[in-house]
Amino acid sequence: MDDEEALRRYGLHPAAADLDEIRELLRRETASERRAQGDGDTELMKLFCVQLFNCGGLEDALLVWDAKSAGFDAACSIDIQLLLGRGLEAVKAHLATRSAPSAAAALHRLRELERDGEFEDFSVREHSAFYDSYYGDR
């Protein structure tokens, strides 16, 4: 599957019934990216992260972080804001309750960027609209 097919199949705002499949596909691409740097399809990974962002599930923040952390290309392709589908404060609170080292790393990075002013004008709605336009213009 490529990003065009995934976009046709699930859209940017997927149905709840499709979320488990999207999560599993993202896990597979993340594993491919990790196994052999550059083997994963980072454009497809990014699209899956956008789809999960648009659904706003707190549990997806770590999945998006894992994808972003899979390699250099993924880190460049996947915006950190895609962790924040439920908003910055909600995601930080959620990550603070998780014991996984990746949760601590994600929380640390979010706090660093917040201190640097990265999220001052961040809006879930506006970020979603940006991706609606980005994928709509293809």
Side-chain angles (χ1 to χ4, degrees):
M1 173 182 303
D2 64 11
D3 56 330
E4 293 294 328
E5 182 181 345
L7 190 55
R8 275 192 308 276
R9 183 180 292 183
Y10 305 115
L12 287 177
H13 302 267
D18 293 327
L19 293 178
D20 285 340
E21 186 172 346
I22 291 168
R23 289 177 184 116
E24 182 55 34
L25 291 167
L26 179 56
R27 284 184 191 100
R28 286 186 204 160
E29 287 300 322
T30 299
S32 290
E33 181 69 15
R34 237 188 213 109
R35 254 191 321 276
Q37 292 295 308
D39 246 11
D41 182 340
T42 57
E43 284 301 310
L44 182 57
M45 291 169 69
K46 178 167 113 178
L47 175 58
F48 291 146
C49 291
V50 169
Q51 291 166 328
L52 294 175
F53 169 88
N54 282 332
C55 292
L58 285 172
E59 68 280 357
D60 293 324
L62 274 180
L63 189 58
V64 172
W65 175 257
D66 287 343
K68 182 170 181 55
S69 304
F72 179 78
D73 291 342
C76 293
S77 182
I78 299 169
D79 298 334
I80 190 79
Q81 290 86 350
L82 292 175
L83 274 74
L84 307 178
R86 194 70 158 270
L88 178 62
E89 294 307 318
V91 171
K92 286 190 323 183
H94 173 72
L95 292 173
T97 67
R98 310 297 298 194
S99 61
S102 60
L107 182 58
H108 177 74
R109 184 66 180 139
L110 288 174
R111 286 179 175 158
E112 281 181 330
L113 291 170
E114 183 179 27
R115 275 191 305 274
D116 292 343
E118 181 72 25
F119 305 119
E120 279 182 22
D121 296 325
F122 176 76
S123 157
V124 171
R125 188 170 32 109
E126 289 176 15
H127 207 65
S128 180
F130 166 79
Y131 278 107
D132 287 347
S133 174
Y134 175 83
Y135 284 102
D137 291 342
R138 294 173 84 189

